[in-house]
Amino acid sequence: MAVSTHAVAPAPPGPHPVDVRPPLRRLVPLSLQHLLVAYAGMATMPLLVGTALDLPEDRIRLLISANLLVSGLATLLQSLGVMRVGARLPIVMGSTFTAITPAVLIGGEHGLAAVFGATIVSGLVTLAVAPWFGRWLHLFPPLVTGTVIAVIGFSLVPSAAGLVTGGHGAPGGRGLALAAVTVALVVLVERLAPPALARFSVLVALAAGTVLAVPLGLFDGSGVADAHTVTVPDPTAFGAPAFVVPAVVAMLVVQLVNMVESVGDTLAVGQIVGRGDDAPTVVRALRADGVATAVSGALASFPVVTFGQSVGLVSVTRVRSRHVVALSGALMVVLAFVPVLGAAVAAVPGPVLGGVSLVMFGMVGAVGLRVLARADLTDSRNLLTAALAFGLGMIPVGAPDFYAPLPSFARTVLDSGIAVTGIVAFALNLLFHHTPRFRKDDTR
């Protein structure tokens, strides 16, 4: 058989899928997926802090509006980038649950103004140290980052269960059934629908689950009728930011945890989309974290971090465009000024959001395991590192009061499974592979 020897000209390189802007008819629903999945977390953090500090309802609404505004601006900065700030990846940003306990403690003793002042300082420190994190990225091999990413995902699974139960004990039969149907819908659309529709599997599950919730008596739209049509976030409502040393120290510890989480999420998204899992991108991402957190404190909100939900959603839908996430950020800004729209988003029933979140968080954990698989786990030192990092990191998830006897400054770190995992994995990897005194050349 004759074989053609004619050279085939390579196809001209096109833009990377991360930079492709989908047509508007796809861009809007794809962005809504990110918004709906992330909204519950963005509203819950300020709600919990405001409730714990016994703030009046109008002040809690201001905290939620400010958080949405900051999250939207941070998402735009992270996904689109400005000069050397922003990863330019499909990453949603929002306030972190890690800051809830410190914010409540600081707010109770010094007032929310001290929380916001400490947030500003922690953001500026993050911006300053971001280049050093880039230089140290070689100390975060797949053994470390894979373990951290996996624990980020799996440690969030209980929060998905909390959405199903409403935070009160065992779920009712109807709520559990609705959550199960929602998960099944994601799977069925992903498996049976044509590729063009499969990208919207989460949105389809959210919409269908909400419709199913109506006859089950699990849909409550009263918040839409009660919400204000338009509002303006007011950073001055809580006074000028105050800079109290103990508050700043506590928030810097929180921010260290957030930086570890951001590094893990950024590398995970980079792995998924095929671009950006490198030191320069991590540095730009951390700079965006720092800028966003400093601005957040100035606008009466809390530290900002990458949202694990977005990592899972990108992995499920395989939609890599950062413009999709950027539009979701713009929609968050709109929601900050139009609470009635936010109330409509919040009307999605907890069991539906919980079912979708279970898929998202599980996917983040699976991405972490995929990264971890690149490490040599036949080396007993690596296996011990992963085992201890997983074991110690999951203690706060399974036993939230395990560290209750310890001082509050210690609990700030130890109550975060992500922080414990990152510290243990980093320290053991350093001990086994970067400390000549203890290095062993044999692989056992």
Side-chain angles (χ1 to χ4, degrees):
M1 178 184 294
V3 179
S4 174
T5 57
H6 292 291
V8 179
H16 193 280
V18 170
D19 298 319
V20 172
R21 183 183 288 107
L24 193 63
R25 67 180 184 278
R26 289 177 50 212
L27 182 65
V28 173
L30 288 171
S31 299
L32 282 174
Q33 283 190 133
H34 280 280
L35 176 64
L36 291 170
V37 168
Y39 181 86
M42 294 176 185
T44 299
M45 196 278 181
L47 177 62
L48 291 176
V49 172
T51 303
L53 294 176
D54 200 24
L55 296 180
E57 203 169 308
D58 61 327
R59 289 294 184 266
I60 294 177
R61 284 199 297 267
L62 284 176
L63 287 178
I64 294 175
S65 293
N67 192 39
L68 282 169
L69 174 60
V70 169
S71 299
L73 294 174
T75 299
L76 285 165
L77 178 62
Q78 192 71 275
S79 56
L80 297 181
V82 176
M83 294 187 290
R84 291 188 292 174
V85 179
R88 293 177 174 84
L89 291 175
I91 297 175
V92 173
M93 304 288 288
S95 56
T96 168
F97 283 16
T98 311
I100 291 177
T101 300
V104 171
L105 293 174
I106 295 169
E109 186 171 352
H110 304 287
L112 275 176
V115 176
F116 303 142
T119 300
I120 293 173
V121 174
S122 65
L124 294 176
V125 170
T126 301
L127 184 61
V129 304
W132 278 269
F133 258 75
R135 294 172 191 170
W136 298 336
L137 199 60
H138 67 283
L139 300 178
F140 293 85
L143 175 65
V144 176
T145 57
T147 306
V148 171
I149 295 167
V151 170
I152 288 173
F154 296 141
S155 66
L156 289 172
V157 168
S159 68
L163 288 171
V164 176
T165 65
H168 305 291
R174 291 175 299 167
L176 187 58
L178 183 57
V181 169
T182 303
V183 172
L185 284 170
V186 174
V187 174
L188 290 174
V189 173
E190 177 70 22
R191 175 64 182 85
L192 301 177
L197 181 59
R199 295 188 181 95
F200 301 97
S201 59
V202 172
L203 186 61
V204 170
L206 287 168
T210 301
V211 171
L212 289 173
V214 176
L216 293 174
L218 296 174
F219 179 81
D220 181 9
S222 60
V224 179
D226 297 337
H228 296 283
T229 304
V230 177
T231 190
V232 178
D234 183 9
T236 65
F238 303 94
F243 301 95
V244 180
V245 173
V248 169
V249 172
M251 204 57 77
L252 284 175
V253 174
V254 169
Q255 195 62 12
L256 177 61
V257 176
N258 294 342
M259 291 177 74
V260 173
E261 183 173 354
S262 288
V263 169
D265 282 341
T266 302
L267 292 174
V269 172
Q271 289 276 332
I272 294 168
V273 303
R275 188 181 85 177
D277 56 335
D278 52 29
T281 303
V282 167
V283 172
R284 293 198 305 270
L286 290 175
R287 285 188 181 127
D289 283 7
V291 171
T293 297
V295 171
S296 184
L299 294 179
S301 195
F302 307 99
V304 175
V305 71
T306 53
F307 254 34
Q309 293 96 316
S310 67
V311 180
L313 189 56
V314 171
S315 185
V316 170
T317 63
R318 301 178 298 282
V319 176
R320 295 180 278 178
S321 172
R322 59 194 174 100
H323 298 287
V324 168
V325 167
L327 180 56
S328 72
L331 293 174
M332 292 174 210
V333 174
V334 173
L335 292 183
F337 292 92
V338 188
V340 67
L341 295 178
V345 174
V348 176
V352 176
L353 278 175
V356 166
S357 297
L358 178 64
V359 177
M360 298 300 99
F361 297 146
M363 187 63 72
V364 175
V367 169
L369 294 179
R370 185 175 70 185
V371 175
L372 179 60
R374 293 166 51 195
D376 180 13
L377 295 181
T378 62
D379 187 332
S380 62
R381 297 168 297 178
N382 291 347
L383 198 60
L384 178 61
T385 298
L388 284 175
F390 266 112
L392 296 175
M394 295 304 288
I395 286 177
V397 178
D401 297 325
F402 187 83
Y403 297 110
L406 300 181
S408 58
F409 70 87
R411 293 192 61 186
T412 300
V413 176
L414 295 176
D415 278 348
S416 169
I418 298 168
V420 173
T421 300
I423 292 169
V424 172
F426 177 82
L428 291 181
N429 177 69
L430 200 66
L431 175 68
F432 288 138
H433 299 291
H434 296 276
T435 308
R437 180 181 174 186
F438 293 99
R439 181 177 295 155
K440 295 183 178 180
D441 295 327
D442 59 310
T443 300
R444 292 168 292 165

